[in-house]
């Protein structure tokens, strides 16, 4: 009902920036919240940020330093995560999720992730 594809990850050096994208498609009427999570091997998925359909962002406490900025383009059904001043500890698989209004109710989708690796 809602499929998500992330892109924009890669290998960067400490201090550099990346902009991740999450494109949604499928059979839904509209998207509500869209969010970003990250995961490293052997660890639980960690919440990064979410953004409402109206553009109001919320960040994990550990992300409130201003290095990460979430945004979205509703006309493209796409969410973004701008990541600045990247650090080695930001290395992770970054996953997108979204909630959609579908026939019969709501549905939540997850992407497969895009890898971000920050070298020291």
């Amino acid at each position: 009902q809602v499929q998500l594809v992330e892109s924009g990850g890669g290998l960067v050096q400490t201090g550099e920036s990346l902009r991740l994208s999450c494109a949604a498609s499928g059979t839904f009427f509209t998207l509500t919240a869209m969010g970003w999570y990250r995961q490293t091997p052997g660890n639980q998925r960690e919440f990064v940020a979410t953004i409402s359909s109206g553009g109001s962002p919320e960040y994990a406490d550990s992300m409130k330093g201003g290095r990460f900025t979430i945004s979205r383009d509703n006309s493209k059904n796409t969410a973004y995560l701008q990541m600045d001043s990247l650090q080695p500890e930001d290395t992770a698989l970054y996953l997108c999720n979204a909630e959609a209004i579908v026939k019969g109710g709501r549905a939540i989708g997850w992407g497969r992730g895009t890898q971000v690796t920050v070298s020291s």
Side-chain angles (χ1 to χ4, degrees), residues 16-68:
E16 294 186 337
S17 299
L18 282 174
R19 188 191 194 209
L20 307 183
S21 298
C22 169
S25 62
T27 54
F28 53 84
F29 297 115
T30 188
L31 295 169
T32 57
M34 299 184 76
W36 288 96
Y37 291 72
R38 66 186 185 184
Q39 189 166 23
T40 54
N43 294 310
Q44 290 186 333
R45 196 166 290 179
E46 177 188 20
F47 168 68
V48 175
T50 187
I51 187 166
S52 69
S53 58
S56 296
E58 291 185 16
Y59 298 91
D61 287 342
S62 59
M63 305 296 170
K64 291 182 178 178
R67 296 190 301 118
F68 289 12

